[in-house]
Amino acid sequence: MNKKSAKKGVIFFLGILTISCSSTFEEVGTIEEDILIPKEEVDLPLKELSLLDVSYGENPQQAYDIYLPADRSSDKTKVILLVHGGGWVEGDKASMTPFIELIKERHPQHAIVNMNYVLAGVTPVIPAFPNQFLDIRKVVEKIIAEKEDLQLLPEFGLIGTSAGAHLSLMYDFVYDTEDRVKFVVDIVGPTDFTHPFFSEDLNFSLALSLFVDESQYPEGTNYAEATSPVFNVSSMSSPVAMFYGNQDPLVPLGNGEALDVALTSFEIEHIYTIYEGGHGDDWSDADILDLQEQISRFIEEYLPVN
């Protein structure tokens, strides 16, 4: 089996979830470079501001957009971080725009960060794990370092779709050692690479071996387990809102069920919703509205504005 077929196999597994939202998106004070807010303006009533393609690393793909609400302050304005899907090898933050619209409409006092990460590759080999987990950490650390300039309280909620949900879960379960993350929204995220759906597929098994940077893991590591959220849940994990389709051709429903069991065993607060349909693109309008309502309630409960 060659690397080209492996790449096709990986792209087959995970697509990008796009959710429609009816509100109108409007950018205010857009800046398309990495510019911090002047200190002399911090004491003034702060206006809504959007900073686009802010760099957080040397790779051009290491960039995020940040949407700062009006009247923000470092003692109340918390952050919702969006992580796109695309099978770890493709996708872009632009696909998460509907979530920006939803949050702006229903939670206008929250800041929003919409990030890209370095995509994995087969030719040449560009590992996904743990590099993409670490990209989330770099974004979080940059926001923390700039909290006074941005006037943000660095507490985070993560919303991920498909591969982005997997990355969000792994970041919270493994890398969020200071408990900055207060919840994770997991929309059709893969959670268990030992499931036969993945482990018995030769394309995926080969891709996983290419996607792992073995130099960053201890010798003898079981990589399927080390990169699967279900094997990394602990009593320190954050609350999780889970959404899956019962006929998903890309992520088996058993992955949702396995995470539900793992979270329950550690008594982690979570909700688990199963919709009729596949990977999110064919869910009914009523189900999409239900998902939006549940996400909104999760934000209010676990990332409230004090």
Side-chain angles (χ1 to χ4, degrees), residues 31-35 51-67 80-84 91-96 100 112-119 131-132 134-140 142-143 146 167:
I31 298 177
E32 295 189 355
E33 55 187 46
D34 188 1
I35 300 177
L51 305 173
L52 304 183
D53 292 321
V54 177
S55 175
Y56 67 89
E58 295 181 358
N59 191 300
Q61 296 180 55
Q62 292 175 309
Y64 62 77
D65 303 333
I66 183 168
Y67 303 88
I80 298 173
L81 176 59
L82 308 177
V83 188
H84 70 79
D92 185 83
K93 54 186 167 65
S95 67
M96 302 299 282
I100 298 171
I112 307 165
V113 174
N114 188 20
M115 67 172 287
N116 276 340
Y117 46 87
V118 179
L119 300 174
N131 299 337
Q132 291 176 355
L134 299 177
D135 275 357
I136 297 179
R137 184 167 72 181
K138 290 176 182 177
V139 172
V140 169
K142 183 174 174 63
I143 298 298
E146 299 174 357
L167 299 178

Side-chain angles (χ1 to χ4, degrees), residues 2-37:
N2 56 37
K3 293 180 179 179
K4 183 176 180 181
S5 64
K7 181 175 181 181
K8 290 181 178 178
V10 176
I11 293 175
F12 167 79
F13 278 108
L14 296 174
I16 302 171
L17 177 65
T18 301
I19 297 179
S20 61
C21 182
S22 60
S23 62
T24 302
F25 178 61
E26 181 179 3
E27 291 184 354
V28 180
T30 297
I31 298 177
E32 295 189 355
E33 55 187 46
D34 188 1
I35 300 177
L36 296 182
I37 302 160

Side-chain angles (χ1 to χ4, degrees), residues 3-304:
K3 293 180 179 179
K4 183 176 180 181
S5 64
K7 181 175 181 181
K8 290 181 178 178
V10 176
I11 293 175
F12 167 79
F13 278 108
L14 296 174
I16 302 171
L17 177 65
T18 301
I19 297 179
S20 61
C21 182
S22 60
S23 62
T24 302
F25 178 61
E26 181 179 3
E27 291 184 354
V28 180
T30 297
I31 298 177
E32 295 189 355
E33 55 187 46
D34 188 1
I35 300 177
L36 296 182
I37 302 160
K39 293 184 181 295
E40 60 269 18
E41 295 183 10
V42 172
D43 294 331
L44 301 176
L46 295 176
K47 297 180 180 180
E48 182 179 354
L49 183 65
S50 300
L51 305 173
L52 304 183
D53 292 321
V54 177
S55 175
Y56 67 89
E58 295 181 358
N59 191 300
Q61 296 180 55
Q62 292 175 309
Y64 62 77
D65 303 333
I66 183 168
Y67 303 88
L68 302 168
D71 300 322
R72 60 194 173 275
S73 72
S74 59
D75 61 356
K76 72 173 184 179
T77 306
K78 302 175 184 178
V79 184
I80 298 173
L81 176 59
L82 308 177
V83 188
H84 70 79
W88 307 287
V89 298
E90 60 184 8
D92 185 83
K93 54 186 167 65
S95 67
M96 302 299 282
T97 297
F99 289 100
I100 298 171
E101 299 170 349
L102 176 69
I103 296 163
K104 277 177 163 280
E105 178 182 358
R106 300 193 184 188
H107 307 280
Q109 293 182 292
H110 285 76
I112 307 165
V113 174
N114 188 20
M115 67 172 287
N116 276 340
Y117 46 87
V118 179
L119 300 174
V122 175
T123 308
V125 174
I126 302 174
F129 314 132
N131 299 337
Q132 291 176 355
F133 312 141
L134 299 177
D135 275 357
I136 297 179
R137 184 167 72 181
K138 290 176 182 177
V139 172
V140 169
E141 289 178 344
K142 183 174 174 63
I143 298 298
I144 293 171
E146 299 174 357
K147 63 182 180 180
E148 294 301 328
D149 295 286
L150 298 172
Q151 284 295 286
L152 296 177
L153 176 60
E155 296 182 5
F156 299 82
L158 304 186
I159 300 177
T161 61
S162 195
H166 164 260
L167 299 178
S168 299
L169 291 167
M170 284 295 298
Y171 178 75
D172 177 67
F173 294 172
V174 178
Y175 299 93
D176 181 36
T177 57
E178 297 184 355
D179 192 29
R180 297 284 188 177
V181 175
K182 304 305 178 183
F183 73 81
V184 179
V185 172
D186 159 24
I187 303 173
V188 297
T191 68
D192 181 6
F193 295 143
T194 69
H195 188 285
F197 181 89
F198 297 114
S199 65
E200 295 179 2
D201 185 281
L202 296 180
N203 279 341
F204 185 83
S205 297
L206 175 58
L208 183 61
S209 68
L210 295 172
F211 277 4
V212 172
D213 183 350
E214 297 183 4
S215 69
Q216 298 195 56
Y217 290 92
E219 185 177 353
T221 295
N222 182 322
Y223 300 117
E225 292 185 358
T227 59
S228 292
V230 295
F231 296 102
N232 290 280
V233 177
S234 73
S235 59
M236 301 302 293
S237 299
S238 298
V240 180
M242 305 161 54
F243 303 94
Y244 287 84
N246 63 1
Q247 301 176 48
D248 193 333
L250 306 178
V251 177
L253 186 59
N255 268 212
E257 294 168 347
L259 183 57
D260 179 40
V261 170
L263 293 169
T264 299
S265 69
F266 282 95
E267 299 182 342
I268 303 300
E269 295 183 33
H270 66 286
I271 58 175
Y272 178 32
T273 303
I274 302 171
Y275 296 124
E276 185 72 30
H279 203 58
D281 53 347
D282 62 347
W283 293 353
S284 70
D285 291 342
D287 287 342
I288 295 298
L289 289 175
D290 177 73
L291 178 144
Q292 292 174 346
E293 289 291 340
Q294 292 201 60
I295 291 176
S296 185
R297 289 197 296 269
F298 228 65
I299 293 171
E300 291 171 356
E301 182 171 2
Y302 296 108
L303 204 68

